[in-house]
Amino acid sequence: MKSDINGTHIGYEVLGNTGLPLVLIHGFGLDRSIWRNMLFEYMPDQFVILPDVRGHGESDAPNGPYTMSQLADDLAGLLHILNVDKVIVCGHSMGGYISLAFAERYQQQLAGLGLITSRAEADSETKRESRYNLVERIREKGAVELAESLAPHLSKDETIIRETYERIKQTSPLGLIGASQAMAERPDRRDLLPKISVPALVVAGAEDQIVDLEDAREMSSLFPNAEFFAIPNAGHMPMWENPLVLAKGLLDLIARASH
Ligand code: MLT
């Protein structure tokens, strides 16, 4: 499905019809299909909304820069069209940055929050510079520049590296550039975490090369009501590397948010 939201066509799908609606937001360079196998296998009936972030998947990729607030507004627009009010929002990596922007702007709609191999702090100066450097390389050579630099760090599993490489390579360069700018300029949202009183879930991959396990554990302690899940045998892609344990964490969050 595609809907016109804030002047942009946003791709999405809705699965299942049981329980509180759960939104799952994919990470940088990927698309909503990353969640499907885990959902079909372990959470087949759950009411789930899967958006493609602006610039990714089937969504349009207008010229950027994008901002995290704008990406959160896209989600709010989609929920409005779907006539859904209260939701649990979980994001993978960049999807987690969007989830935090949504939590800040639409707190009254939030029934639960999940950060999956993600973080709340802003980019360091070095990280920001490397993003703008990547933006220039993508402008010159296309999405393959990101596929080559990111895919080998997403997992140790060769099949997952190959699969993510192909997906990233097919993503719109304009979308990648707009999203890179949104990530580079996103504010530090650690101050928001103590104010998120709804149930929260922080998921870390024990072998993640991008988000440090101990940093994620520390972040989880900033929430008043968070569970921390360290997923064994998983790097940055637990929905593929260890879907059973990630699904358990999500089902546990849904149960806590439904009380
Ligand atoms: C992601 O997987 O979404 C990215 O690695 C996040 C980032 O670049 O900060």
Side-chain angles (χ1 to χ4, degrees):
M1 293 281 293
K2 265 195 189 190
S3 285
D4 190 346
I5 292 160
N6 304 325
T8 300
H9 283 99
I10 296 293
Y12 66 95
E13 67 196 82
V14 180
L15 303 171
N17 55 14
T18 306
L20 264 176
L22 169 70
V23 176
L24 296 174
I25 311 174
H26 64 80
F28 185 40
L30 299 170
D31 61 56
R32 68 182 196 257
S33 67
I34 63 166
W35 305 107
R36 282 199 199 118
N37 286 353
M38 175 189 75
L39 295 167
F40 291 154
E41 187 90 10
Y42 301 111
M43 311 170 66
D45 303 322
Q46 177 62 42
F47 181 3
V48 185
I49 299 163
L50 304 179
D52 279 331
V53 174
R54 173 185 290 250
H56 294 70
E58 283 184 347
S59 291
D60 287 350
N63 258 316
Y66 311 157
T67 64
M68 284 304 152
S69 301
Q70 179 186 37
L71 301 177
D73 290 349
D74 287 346
L75 173 58
L78 175 60
L79 296 177
H80 182 72
I81 284 177
L82 295 174
N83 215 359
V84 166
D85 182 25
K86 288 268 182 192
V87 278
I88 301 170
V89 180
C90 296
H92 166 234
S93 206
M94 178 187 77
Y97 313 156
I98 301 171
S99 306
L100 284 172
F102 183 88
E104 189 172 77
R105 290 166 82 76
Y106 300 96
Q107 199 152 9
Q108 71 292 349
Q109 284 189 255
L110 197 70
L113 177 77
L115 299 178
I116 302 164
T117 61
S118 191
R119 51 169 84 81
E121 72 264 31
D123 278 355
S124 64
E125 211 35 65
T126 320
K127 180 71 193 173
R128 194 169 301 131
E129 271 171 33
S130 78
R131 286 209 205 270
Y132 282 117
N133 184 293
L134 176 70
V135 162
E136 287 317 311
R137 288 176 6 240
I138 296 174
R139 267 195 228 287
E140 277 171 37
K141 297 194 181 137
V144 70
E145 281 294 310
L146 178 68
E148 274 170 17
S149 58
L150 182 58
H153 299 289
L154 293 177
S155 181
K156 286 186 179 151
D157 182 310
E158 286 300 324
T159 314
I160 294 178
I161 295 175
R162 264 201 309 279
E163 180 66 22
T164 50
Y165 182 96
E166 288 308 319
R167 283 177 202 221
I168 296 169
K169 210 173 76 174
Q170 284 159 26
T171 305
S172 153
L174 274 184
L176 295 177
I177 291 169
S180 295
Q181 291 161 321
M183 290 194 285
E185 302 304 329
R186 74 189 193 280
D188 189 325
R189 287 204 162 87
R190 278 175 296 187
D191 284 354
L192 175 70
L193 308 188
K195 297 180 205 146
I196 298 181
S197 54
V198 294
L201 168 71
V202 174
V203 173
E207 295 160 10
D208 193 343
Q209 301 165 56
I210 295 174
V211 176
D212 180 70
L213 177 84
E214 290 313 318
D215 288 353
R217 194 194 303 277
E218 199 180 309
M219 175 176 72
S220 73
S221 69
L222 299 176
F223 287 93
N225 184 8
E227 293 286 339
F228 177 69
F229 263 63
I231 308 219
N233 308 318
H236 200 60
M237 298 292 295
M239 70 296 291
W240 285 358
E241 296 168 304
N242 202 337
L244 170 64
V245 180
L246 178 57
K248 274 193 183 146
L250 291 170
L251 289 167
D252 178 71
L253 174 65
I254 296 164
R256 288 161 56 224
S258 306
H259 281 152

